[in-house]
Amino acid sequence: RVFGNIRMFIVDFDIPVAKLPVDLNIRGDYTVAQIKENLWQHLRDQGHIVQELDILWDPERFTFTYEMNGKIYELYDGQQIFQTSTVAQFWRQKKLVRGKLTVELKKTETKEEKTLNMEISSIIGIGLYQLQFANNDELDTTR
C-alpha cells in the first residue's frame, strides 16, 4: 500500500531466540531504529517481554537480517529510512505482499577484537562493521 510517497509494509518478524513469529504493519518512512522500537513495544504490550527480563531483551543487543537471492544481509544502519533500504526495494520489485525480517542476537566482540577493529577502522576511515555490509555501488565509487 502507498499513502502519498509513504509505503506501508507487512513484515513477518521471525524471532528464533524466543521461537516467536510477529506480524506488524510498518510505515516505510520509519527508520530501522523506529521499527525496532515498535517491535519491542509490541512485544511488551503482548506480554512477551516482562520488565524483569528487559535487560536481556535490550533492542541494542539485536539486529534485523533478511535473505535476498540466497544470501543473508543485515540492516545495520538504524537511521536508514526503511523504504529506501535494499530489502524494501527488493520486496517492492518482486511485488511481495509480505516481507520477512529475522531478529538475530548480535555477536559480541572480545576486547581484543574490538581494539583491533577500532584501529583498522581508524586507518581506513570507515567502520569495519559498516564496510562488511556495504553492498552499495555509490559507496564503492566514492571510496
Side-chain angles (χ1 to χ4, degrees), residues 68-134:
M68 188 170 67
N69 298 324
K71 294 183 181 178
I72 303 294
Y73 297 92
E74 179 178 354
L75 283 171
Y76 63 88
D77 183 359
Q79 297 309 307
Q80 182 174 17
I81 303 298
F82 185 71
Q83 69 186 18
T84 66
S85 69
T86 303
V87 67
Q89 293 173 16
F90 178 74
W91 293 346
R92 197 173 79 227
Q93 179 186 33
K94 295 288 186 183
K95 297 182 179 11
L96 297 176
V97 176
R98 304 177 80 87
K100 179 182 173 186
L101 294 176
T102 302
V103 181
E104 299 277 345
L105 192 57
K106 288 181 183 176
K107 179 184 172 273
T108 54
E109 293 179 313
T110 66
K111 185 177 178 182
E112 292 81 16
E113 288 175 323
K114 197 175 285 188
T115 302
L116 180 61
N117 288 343
M118 286 174 48
E119 289 174 6
I120 293 171
S121 295
S122 175
I123 292 169
I124 65 174
I126 185 174
L128 286 180
Y129 189 71
Q130 291 172 319
L131 189 60
Q132 178 181 1
F133 296 103

Side-chain angles (χ1 to χ4, degrees), residues 73 76 124 126-127 130-143:
Y73 297 92
Y76 63 88
I124 65 174
I126 185 174
Q130 291 172 319
L131 189 60
Q132 178 181 1
F133 296 103
N135 263 347
N136 184 334
D137 295 333
E138 184 177 321
L139 178 65
D140 293 338
T141 303
T142 57
R143 292 268 174 230

Side-chain angles (χ1 to χ4, degrees), residues 7-11 24-28 82-83 88 91-92:
R7 298 197 174 275
M8 297 295 292
F9 297 89
I10 301 172
V11 180
L24 288 179
N25 290 323
I26 300 296
R27 289 177 52 107
F82 185 71
Q83 69 186 18
W91 293 346
R92 197 173 79 227

